[in-house]
Amino acid sequence: MEAEGKQKNEVWEWSKALLIAFDLAAIIRFFLFTPIVVDGESMMPTLEHGDRMIVNKIGYNIGEPDRFDIIVFHAPEQKDYIKRVIGLPGDHVAYEEDQLFINGEAVEEPYLDQYKTGITGTLTEDFVLEDITSYSTIPDGYVFVMGDNRRASKDSRHIGLVPIDEVIGNTNFVFWPVDEAGIVK
């Protein structure tokens, strides 16, 4: 009789431990971090199709996105996109002859250097913010995003400005495939 009670107690303790573990995993995934799989080539060469990354969901609850952060957001097509923040609220964004201009000042994009070598023509077509949106500067509560593979990216040039409240979080850590695991800039 005593052995049977001890066995029931052990089963109960294991059940509680498993419930707590599942609850913690759900809380961490829902509120703090979540995995995402890169789908497509819009962020190449920085990110490859199939890369698995961790999205930090708490960062923007405390602060705002920074220029060049890689973010994940809910896109209009009921899909989550992964892109790079180019323009922040108050910014005027333009491209001329493959050069990014923020508020009239040339801004370097070193993460594109690898992609620009070996291509014919420009990586990024010329544009001015007001020609692709109805704004001359990015309004409060929005960001302008672009994929690193500018020729094959559906980004703010096509879908418009991204509301900050649609941003899930930022990501800069690839955990799979293992040979490419690490921090992404």
Side-chain angles (χ1 to χ4, degrees):
M1 194 78 139
E2 192 175 305
E4 187 178 308
K6 192 174 185 179
Q7 187 177 17
K8 281 184 182 178
N9 193 30
E10 188 174 326
V11 168
W12 173 243
E13 291 301 319
W14 273 104
S15 297
K16 284 193 317 189
L18 286 172
L19 281 172
I20 291 170
F22 286 128
D23 287 346
L24 282 174
I27 289 168
I28 288 170
R29 181 176 173 140
F30 189 75
F31 293 108
L32 304 176
F33 303 98
T34 191
I36 189 169
V37 178
V38 176
D39 182 20
E41 300 176 345
S42 72
M43 284 297 292
M44 285 181 59
T46 308
L47 302 173
E48 301 285 332
H49 175 75
D51 282 354
R52 284 158 173 69
M53 304 185 75
I54 299 291
V55 178
N56 175 354
K57 296 171 98 175
I58 59 174
Y60 298 143
N61 291 333
I62 300 166
E64 297 283 319
D66 290 324
R67 188 175 331 280
F68 304 136
D69 281 358
I70 298 173
I71 63 168
V72 177
F73 61 94
H74 300 302
E77 293 86 15
Q78 306 305 317
K79 234 179 129 175
D80 291 340
Y81 279 12
I82 184 166
K83 304 291 179 193
R84 190 178 296 273
V85 174
I86 301 298
L88 300 169
D91 284 348
H92 177 269
V93 178
Y95 252 92
E96 188 178 316
E97 296 181 19
D98 231 4
Q99 175 63 58
L100 169 63
F101 290 91
I102 302 289
N103 302 323
E105 299 288 325
V107 176
E108 295 302 315
E109 296 178 283
Y111 50 88
L112 294 179
D113 291 345
Q114 174 186 354
Y115 203 68
K116 286 182 178 181
T117 58
I119 65 167
T120 304
T122 59
L123 178 61
T124 309
E125 296 293 323
D126 291 355
F127 71 85
V128 178
L129 183 66
E130 54 267 23
D131 289 346
I132 57 174
T133 70
S134 58
Y135 301 100
S136 60
T137 61
I138 299 168
D140 285 341
Y142 291 87
V143 291
F144 185 91
V145 299
M146 295 177 77
D148 290 356
N149 184 356
R150 304 292 167 78
R151 291 178 170 181
S153 178
K154 190 173 187 180
D155 49 40
S156 284
R157 296 171 294 172
H158 310 95
I159 63 171
L161 301 174
V162 175
I164 292 175
D165 61 1
E166 293 294 323
V167 176
I168 298 167
N170 68 324
T171 182
N172 64 355
F173 184 75
V174 173
F175 69 88
W176 191 264
V178 175
D179 61 328
E180 294 178 20
I183 302 286
V184 178
K185 296 195 186 256

